[in-house]
Amino acid sequence: MTTAVVFDYGFGNVRSMVRALANLGVDTTLTSDYRQSLEADGLVVPGVGAFAACMEGLKKVDGDRVIYDRIRAGRPVLGVCVGGGSVNLLDADVVPHMGWDTIEAAPDSVLLNGVENERFYFVHSYAAMEVKPADTSRFDIDLSDSPERVSWCSYGRSRFVAAYEHGPLSATQFHPEKSGDAGSQLLKNWIATL
């Protein structure tokens, strides 16, 4: 049976994600245990969009280390609404961006395969407006041979990264666990990579 850990570091909508994965037949554990998180087929890191607070919480329980170690080993990690990198406040008349929205899927997206034209549930005020390759050399991680797939969403006057796929790393700005059938299919697509 496929196993997944939903990483428990004090942030994110962990219970919804545990239920969503369990409903898809995945043996799902909620833990911050390093060994279990490293050895599971997949690791999900749910967040709340507040990157600094999320990183602080992750570091307290060695979550950053397990993420780097998994990516270095080519083991799948899915980040959900964790934020990160260079983000900006959305330029819109109403912030936060809360509710259902469509996505401009990357042509070869694995995550969005079969749900390219569906709507997903967002709750956020900040987002990445561009993709800049991160320098991961200090972590001995080289993803240069892996295709980078970027899917976009527009809200107000902002066009932002809605989903990102690069080797074993996948991330969504939206919440697949709250996105009904489309979110369930996205999670199935990710599970198929484990």
Side-chain angles (χ1 to χ4, degrees), residues 4 124 184:
H124 65 122
S184 181

Side-chain angles (χ1 to χ4, degrees), residues 22-176:
N23 287 342
L24 295 173
V26 176
D27 180 6
T28 308
T29 304
L30 176 63
T31 187
S32 61
D33 180 78
Y34 175 84
R35 183 61 50 200
Q36 278 186 281
S37 300
L38 187 65
E39 293 176 355
D41 296 322
L43 176 67
V44 179
V45 183
V48 291
F51 182 66
C54 285
M55 279 307 297
E56 183 179 323
L58 279 168
K59 287 179 179 179
K60 283 182 181 175
V61 292
D62 274 343
D64 56 334
R65 184 166 67 102
V66 77
I67 292 167
Y68 296 136
D69 289 351
R70 283 187 66 90
I71 292 172
R72 185 180 310 108
R75 305 201 55 146
V77 175
L78 173 63
V80 175
C81 200
V82 177
S86 176
V87 296
N88 298 93
L89 181 65
L90 293 168
D91 182 9
D93 295 335
V94 176
V95 174
H97 176 205
M98 188 180 311
W100 297 83
D101 218 329
T102 54
I103 293 170
E104 178 189 327
D108 53 353
S109 173
V110 173
L111 287 179
L112 296 164
N113 185 29
V115 288
E116 296 88 344
N117 300 310
E118 300 297 326
R119 295 162 56 91
F120 294 88
Y121 189 76
F122 288 86
V123 181
H124 65 122
S125 298
Y126 291 82
M129 306 302 170
E130 60 185 340
V131 175
K132 294 181 185 175
D135 179 8
T136 55
S137 59
R138 66 186 168 124
F139 305 110
D140 196 27
I141 295 172
D142 181 8
L143 300 177
S144 61
D145 291 341
S146 302
E148 187 178 57
R149 300 174 178 105
V150 183
S151 300
W152 300 88
C153 183
S154 295
Y155 177 71
R157 293 164 292 282
S158 294
R159 182 173 184 261
F160 61 88
V161 177
Y164 181 79
E165 302 163 71
H166 197 182
L169 176 64
S170 299
T172 63
Q173 179 65 63
F174 54 88
H175 290 270

